[in-house]
């Protein structure tokens, strides 16, 4: 059944934007006083009512009240929202001056969440994840990447990935699972870090493949996690099993991003400590750069060099990193707006980073825009002008609508 939905003050389809490099707001296509024609959940056309009625006289009309600015649903391409417990203790310790690394070394940090997550049943994890994913959806995020990484054994990582799969049938948001068994080596593993990576590449990744639990494999390269030398054979193995690879890189010190690019990672995420030389390398590659301002806010640290990455020609996506430790807030729009103010990003760069460029980081075709044929998952903002959205720094909340 064809449907005509409108009128909307402004519709931003976010189509036709280059996937890499700086963007100006003048590059945004803005359809004023437009209507959306859809059929079975897909967009067919965006235009004036007169024109659409003339060409599709049988379409059913659905009027939307109040002034509204329309955007496609946001895509959060990096989260860790499948977990149990919380880390308010860590947060208090950090605010008292301890660093993320010091807390981890003392046995807190990620390990704490691993203990709580291991203690939760698959059903409980599913329920907790659905609650978080639904909250994200109600704030505009229609596609959410979700990592494992709080199980850290073959069996416990599978439990997390199965919980993500189960949640994907319940929540309104679409979930994209990623295996992050290479988050850290858990202290109860008998061998060294290299041996741990070997175990998961031999005993976990093939099962994930067989059960269809994830198509993506991530690793945290950091002093507290894995070295570049340990990461390379692991990423090779993941690639040989046809997983897309992703790296948590350069969060506290540089080094991981160049390995990620050399290995052909689909995205390299964090980059708060990335050096100029590596910025160039990322920009000249097909690897998307993912800035995670929520982690900078949660840890009280600097932002990823988003402006420099864009100026160098990178594909910059912006994600929340929502997790119980470094980024507990999970408000993607607020974080992107704050990053934009700090790093001097245009609205076009921010909206692209939350939609089409995030889709590129996840290698999702035909997502993140309101192009013809795309799913009609809309965010309707109570505004007259799209610039009000970022100006309100996350306080203007959308109404979600499927057409
Ligand atoms: O992306 N840096 C490593 N991993 C997560 C944090 C996970 C946690 O602290 O629980 C991140 O910030
Ligand atoms: Fe992360």
């Amino acid at each position: 059944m064809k449907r005509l939905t409108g009128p909307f003050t402004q519709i931003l389809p976010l189509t036709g934007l280059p996937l890499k490099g700086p963007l100006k707001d003048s590059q945004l296509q803005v359809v004023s006083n437009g209507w959306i024609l859809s059929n079975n959940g897909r967009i067919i056309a965006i235009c004036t009512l007169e024109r659409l009625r003339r060409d599709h006289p049988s379409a059913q009309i659905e009027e939307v009240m109040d002034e509204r600015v329309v955007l496609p649903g946001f895509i959060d391409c990096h989260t860790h929202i499948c977990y149990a417990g919380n880390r308010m203790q860590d947060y208090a310790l950090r605010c008292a001056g301890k660093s993320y690394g010091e807390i981890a070394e003392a046995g807190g940090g990620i390990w704490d969440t691993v203990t709580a997550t291991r203690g939760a049943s698959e059903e409980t994890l599913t329920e907790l994840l659905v609650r978080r994913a639904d909250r994200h959806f109600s704030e505009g995020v229609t596609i959410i990447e979700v990592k494992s990484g709080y199980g850290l054994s073959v069996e416990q990582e599978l439990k997390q990935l199965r919980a993500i799969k189960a949640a994907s049938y319940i929540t309104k948001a679409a979930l994209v699972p990623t295996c992050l068994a290479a988050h850290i080596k858990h202290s109860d593993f008998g061998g060294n870090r290299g041996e741990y990576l070997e175990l998961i590449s031999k005993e976990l990744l093939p099962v994930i493949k067989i059960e269809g639990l994830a198509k993506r494999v991530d690793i945290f390269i950091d002093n507290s996690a894995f070295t570049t030398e340990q990461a390379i054979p692991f990423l090779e193995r993941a690639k040989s099993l046809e997983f897309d690879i992703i790296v948590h890189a350069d969060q506290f010190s540089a080094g991981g991003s160049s390995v990620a690019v050399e290995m052909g990672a689909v995205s390299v995420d964090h980059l708060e400590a990335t050096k100029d030389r590596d910025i160039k390398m990322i920009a000249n590659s097909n690897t998307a750069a993912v800035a995670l301002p929520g982690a900078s806010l949660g840890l009280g640290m600097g932002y990823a060099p988003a402006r420099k990455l864009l100026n160098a020609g990178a594909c910059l996506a912006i994600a929340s990193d929502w997790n119980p430790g470094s980024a507990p807030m999970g408000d993607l729009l607020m974080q992107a707006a704050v990053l934009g103010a700090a790093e001097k990003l245009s609205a076009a760069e921010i909206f692209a980073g939350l939609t089409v460029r995030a889709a590129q980081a996840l290698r999702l075709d035909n997502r993140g825009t309101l192009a013809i044929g795309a799913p009609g998952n809309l965010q309707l903002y109570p505004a007259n002008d799209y610039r009000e959205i970022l100006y309100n720094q996350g306080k203007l909340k959308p109404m979600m609508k499927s057409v």
Side-chain angles (χ1 to χ4, degrees), residues 2 7 47 56 59 65 88 100 121 127 151 176 198 214 287 299 305 330 367 377:
K2 283 187 187 164
C47 199
H56 307 271
M65 299 301 153
M88 58 187 171
Y100 186 74
S121 67
E127 214 178 289
V176 178
E198 208 174 308
T287 302
L299 297 175
R367 290 290 182 277
N377 297 326

PDB file of all heavy atoms in Angstrom, residues 2 7 47 56 59 65 88 100 121 127 151 176 198 214 287 299 305 330 367 377:
ATOM      1  N   LYS A   2       0.649   2.140  -0.985  1.00  0.00           N
ATOM      2  CA  LYS A   2       1.434   3.382  -1.058  1.00  0.00           C
ATOM      3  C   LYS A   2       0.932   4.389  -0.029  1.00  0.00           C
ATOM      4  O   LYS A   2      -0.286   4.531   0.150  1.00  0.00           O
ATOM      5  CB  LYS A   2       1.320   3.991  -2.450  1.00  0.00           C
ATOM      6  CG  LYS A   2       2.188   3.275  -3.460  1.00  0.00           C
ATOM      7  CD  LYS A   2       2.176   4.014  -4.775  1.00  0.00           C
ATOM      8  CE  LYS A   2       2.896   3.207  -5.835  1.00  0.00           C
ATOM      9  NZ  LYS A   2       2.601   3.680  -7.168  1.00  0.00           N
ATOM     10  N   PRO A   7       2.881  17.053   6.101  1.00  0.00           N
ATOM     11  CA  PRO A   7       4.008  17.766   5.500  1.00  0.00           C
ATOM     12  C   PRO A   7       5.149  17.917   6.510  1.00  0.00           C
ATOM     13  O   PRO A   7       4.902  17.969   7.705  1.00  0.00           O
ATOM     14  CB  PRO A   7       3.389  19.135   5.197  1.00  0.00           C
ATOM     15  CG  PRO A   7       2.351  19.329   6.275  1.00  0.00           C
ATOM     16  CD  PRO A   7       1.840  17.964   6.611  1.00  0.00           C
ATOM     17  N   CYS A  47       9.062  14.679  -2.229  1.00  0.00           N
ATOM     18  CA  CYS A  47       8.738  15.787  -3.139  1.00  0.00           C
ATOM     19  C   CYS A  47       7.587  16.610  -2.556  1.00  0.00           C
ATOM     20  O   CYS A  47       7.174  16.386  -1.419  1.00  0.00           O
ATOM     21  CB  CYS A  47       8.333  15.167  -4.470  1.00  0.00           C
ATOM     22  SG  CYS A  47       8.428  16.294  -5.841  1.00  0.00           S
ATOM     23  N   HIS A  56       0.728   9.746  -8.082  1.00  0.00           N
ATOM     24  CA  HIS A  56       0.289   8.552  -7.329  1.00  0.00           C
ATOM     25  C   HIS A  56      -1.057   8.844  -6.677  1.00  0.00           C
ATOM     26  O   HIS A  56      -1.166   8.926  -5.448  1.00  0.00           O
ATOM     27  CB  HIS A  56       1.336   8.192  -6.251  1.00  0.00           C
ATOM     28  CG  HIS A  56       2.716   8.049  -6.797  1.00  0.00           C
ATOM     29  ND1 HIS A  56       3.206   6.856  -7.274  1.00  0.00           N
ATOM     30  CD2 HIS A  56       3.712   8.949  -6.986  1.00  0.00           C
ATOM     31  CE1 HIS A  56       4.434   7.023  -7.708  1.00  0.00           C
ATOM     32  NE2 HIS A  56       4.773   8.293  -7.553  1.00  0.00           N
ATOM     33  N   ALA A  59      -2.424   6.855  -3.523  1.00  0.00           N
ATOM     34  CA  ALA A  59      -1.666   6.756  -2.258  1.00  0.00           C
ATOM     35  C   ALA A  59      -2.497   7.285  -1.094  1.00  0.00           C
ATOM     36  O   ALA A  59      -3.185   8.298  -1.206  1.00  0.00           O
ATOM     37  CB  ALA A  59      -0.362   7.534  -2.368  1.00  0.00           C
ATOM     38  N   MET A  65       1.266  16.236  12.356  1.00  0.00           N
ATOM     39  CA  MET A  65       1.013  17.567  12.926  1.00  0.00           C
ATOM     40  C   MET A  65       2.328  18.218  13.365  1.00  0.00           C
ATOM     41  O   MET A  65       3.309  17.536  13.580  1.00  0.00           O
ATOM     42  CB  MET A  65       0.089  17.455  14.145  1.00  0.00           C
ATOM     43  CG  MET A  65      -1.254  16.872  13.799  1.00  0.00           C
ATOM     44  SD  MET A  65      -2.064  17.891  12.553  1.00  0.00           S
ATOM     45  CE  MET A  65      -3.108  16.712  11.765  1.00  0.00           C
ATOM     46  N   MET A  88      30.168   2.159  38.625  1.00  0.00           N
ATOM     47  CA  MET A  88      30.148   3.484  39.263  1.00  0.00           C
ATOM     48  C   MET A  88      31.336   3.664  40.202  1.00  0.00           C
ATOM     49  O   MET A  88      31.812   4.766  40.412  1.00  0.00           O
ATOM     50  CB  MET A  88      28.817   3.742  39.956  1.00  0.00           C
ATOM     51  CG  MET A  88      28.434   2.755  40.999  1.00  0.00           C
ATOM     52  SD  MET A  88      26.749   3.141  41.520  1.00  0.00           S
ATOM     53  CE  MET A  88      26.383   1.736  42.515  1.00  0.00           C
ATOM     54  N   TYR A 100      42.341   5.176  34.101  1.00  0.00           N
ATOM     55  CA  TYR A 100      41.662   3.969  33.585  1.00  0.00           C
ATOM     56  C   TYR A 100      42.617   2.773  33.689  1.00  0.00           C
ATOM     57  O   TYR A 100      42.249   1.697  34.151  1.00  0.00           O
ATOM     58  CB  TYR A 100      41.280   4.241  32.125  1.00  0.00           C
ATOM     59  CG  TYR A 100      40.450   3.200  31.438  1.00  0.00           C
ATOM     60  CD1 TYR A 100      39.100   3.048  31.729  1.00  0.00           C
ATOM     61  CD2 TYR A 100      41.005   2.382  30.455  1.00  0.00           C
ATOM     62  CE1 TYR A 100      38.324   2.103  31.063  1.00  0.00           C
ATOM     63  CE2 TYR A 100      40.246   1.434  29.786  1.00  0.00           C
ATOM     64  CZ  TYR A 100      38.903   1.300  30.086  1.00  0.00           C
ATOM     65  OH  TYR A 100      38.144   0.362  29.424  1.00  0.00           O
ATOM     66  N   SER A 121      22.720 -14.777  33.350  1.00  0.00           N
ATOM     67  CA  SER A 121      22.271 -15.782  32.377  1.00  0.00           C
ATOM     68  C   SER A 121      22.130 -15.132  30.997  1.00  0.00           C
ATOM     69  O   SER A 121      22.047 -13.896  30.885  1.00  0.00           O
ATOM     70  CB  SER A 121      20.920 -16.353  32.799  1.00  0.00           C
ATOM     71  OG  SER A 121      19.950 -15.327  32.711  1.00  0.00           O
ATOM     72  N   GLU A 127      17.756  -9.414  28.109  1.00  0.00           N
ATOM     73  CA  GLU A 127      16.802  -8.429  28.638  1.00  0.00           C
ATOM     74  C   GLU A 127      17.473  -7.060  28.857  1.00  0.00           C
ATOM     75  O   GLU A 127      16.923  -6.022  28.481  1.00  0.00           O
ATOM     76  CB  GLU A 127      16.326  -8.968  29.987  1.00  0.00           C
ATOM     77  CG  GLU A 127      14.909  -8.669  30.343  1.00  0.00           C
ATOM     78  CD  GLU A 127      14.604  -9.330  31.688  1.00  0.00           C
ATOM     79  OE1 GLU A 127      14.514 -10.568  31.727  1.00  0.00           O
ATOM     80  OE2 GLU A 127      14.505  -8.581  32.684  1.00  0.00           O
ATOM     81  N   GLY A 151      32.985 -11.641  28.062  1.00  0.00           N
ATOM     82  CA  GLY A 151      32.900 -13.061  28.406  1.00  0.00           C
ATOM     83  C   GLY A 151      34.312 -13.605  28.583  1.00  0.00           C
ATOM     84  O   GLY A 151      34.661 -14.183  29.598  1.00  0.00           O
ATOM     85  N   VAL A 176      23.904  -5.096  14.973  1.00  0.00           N
ATOM     86  CA  VAL A 176      25.013  -5.658  14.190  1.00  0.00           C
ATOM     87  C   VAL A 176      26.034  -6.204  15.192  1.00  0.00           C
ATOM     88  O   VAL A 176      26.702  -5.436  15.878  1.00  0.00           O
ATOM     89  CB  VAL A 176      25.680  -4.571  13.305  1.00  0.00           C
ATOM     90  CG1 VAL A 176      26.867  -5.156  12.545  1.00  0.00           C
ATOM     91  CG2 VAL A 176      24.671  -3.960  12.346  1.00  0.00           C
ATOM     92  N   GLU A 198      45.407 -17.173  20.322  1.00  0.00           N
ATOM     93  CA  GLU A 198      45.430 -18.384  19.509  1.00  0.00           C
ATOM     94  C   GLU A 198      44.225 -19.265  19.843  1.00  0.00           C
ATOM     95  O   GLU A 198      43.572 -19.813  18.954  1.00  0.00           O
ATOM     96  CB  GLU A 198      46.728 -19.134  19.776  1.00  0.00           C
ATOM     97  CG  GLU A 198      47.143 -19.959  18.591  1.00  0.00           C
ATOM     98  CD  GLU A 198      48.499 -20.577  18.824  1.00  0.00           C
ATOM     99  OE1 GLU A 198      49.437 -19.826  19.178  1.00  0.00           O
ATOM    100  OE2 GLU A 198      48.586 -21.817  18.676  1.00  0.00           O
ATOM    101  N   ALA A 214      28.225 -13.683  14.200  1.00  0.00           N
ATOM    102  CA  ALA A 214      28.832 -12.375  13.890  1.00  0.00           C
ATOM    103  C   ALA A 214      29.646 -12.494  12.614  1.00  0.00           C
ATOM    104  O   ALA A 214      30.136 -13.572  12.279  1.00  0.00           O
ATOM    105  CB  ALA A 214      29.728 -11.917  15.034  1.00  0.00           C
ATOM    106  N   THR A 287      39.760   2.344   5.206  1.00  0.00           N
ATOM    107  CA  THR A 287      39.378   2.102   6.597  1.00  0.00           C
ATOM    108  C   THR A 287      38.686   3.348   7.135  1.00  0.00           C
ATOM    109  O   THR A 287      39.236   4.446   7.061  1.00  0.00           O
ATOM    110  CB  THR A 287      40.657   1.787   7.425  1.00  0.00           C
ATOM    111  OG1 THR A 287      41.306   0.651   6.856  1.00  0.00           O
ATOM    112  CG2 THR A 287      40.318   1.512   8.875  1.00  0.00           C
ATOM    113  N   LEU A 299      35.997   9.513  30.354  1.00  0.00           N
ATOM    114  CA  LEU A 299      37.328   9.410  30.960  1.00  0.00           C
ATOM    115  C   LEU A 299      37.915  10.787  31.269  1.00  0.00           C
ATOM    116  O   LEU A 299      38.985  10.881  31.879  1.00  0.00           O
ATOM    117  CB  LEU A 299      38.285   8.657  30.022  1.00  0.00           C
ATOM    118  CG  LEU A 299      37.932   7.204  29.701  1.00  0.00           C
ATOM    119  CD1 LEU A 299      38.895   6.618  28.668  1.00  0.00           C
ATOM    120  CD2 LEU A 299      37.963   6.342  30.967  1.00  0.00           C
ATOM    121  N   PRO A 305      41.124  13.434  16.880  1.00  0.00           N
ATOM    122  CA  PRO A 305      41.342  14.607  16.018  1.00  0.00           C
ATOM    123  C   PRO A 305      40.425  14.599  14.788  1.00  0.00           C
ATOM    124  O   PRO A 305      40.874  14.451  13.653  1.00  0.00           O
ATOM    125  CB  PRO A 305      42.814  14.475  15.621  1.00  0.00           C
ATOM    126  CG  PRO A 305      43.084  13.009  15.688  1.00  0.00           C
ATOM    127  CD  PRO A 305      42.216  12.446  16.776  1.00  0.00           C
ATOM    128  N   GLY A 330      25.898   7.023  26.862  1.00  0.00           N
ATOM    129  CA  GLY A 330      25.127   6.455  25.756  1.00  0.00           C
ATOM    130  C   GLY A 330      24.189   7.412  25.048  1.00  0.00           C
ATOM    131  O   GLY A 330      23.204   6.973  24.461  1.00  0.00           O
ATOM    132  N   ARG A 367      22.104   2.089   3.607  1.00  0.00           N
ATOM    133  CA  ARG A 367      21.631   2.445   4.941  1.00  0.00           C
ATOM    134  C   ARG A 367      22.156   3.843   5.280  1.00  0.00           C
ATOM    135  O   ARG A 367      23.169   4.290   4.766  1.00  0.00           O
ATOM    136  CB  ARG A 367      22.148   1.469   5.998  1.00  0.00           C
ATOM    137  CG  ARG A 367      21.521   0.095   5.906  1.00  0.00           C
ATOM    138  CD  ARG A 367      20.056   0.146   6.324  1.00  0.00           C
ATOM    139  NE  ARG A 367      19.416  -1.144   6.313  1.00  0.00           N
ATOM    140  CZ  ARG A 367      18.901  -1.756   5.251  1.00  0.00           C
ATOM    141  NH1 ARG A 367      18.964  -1.180   4.056  1.00  0.00           N
ATOM    142  NH2 ARG A 367      18.320  -2.933   5.348  1.00  0.00           N
ATOM    143  N   ASN A 377      12.791   4.508   7.846  1.00  0.00           N
ATOM    144  CA  ASN A 377      12.927   4.696   9.299  1.00  0.00           C
ATOM    145  C   ASN A 377      13.307   6.144   9.562  1.00  0.00           C
ATOM    146  O   ASN A 377      14.444   6.547   9.326  1.00  0.00           O
ATOM    147  CB  ASN A 377      14.002   3.765   9.861  1.00  0.00           C
ATOM    148  CG  ASN A 377      13.623   2.310   9.672  1.00  0.00           C
ATOM    149  OD1 ASN A 377      12.444   1.970   9.731  1.00  0.00           O
ATOM    150  ND2 ASN A 377      14.610   1.472   9.419  1.00  0.00           N
TER     151      ASN A 377
END
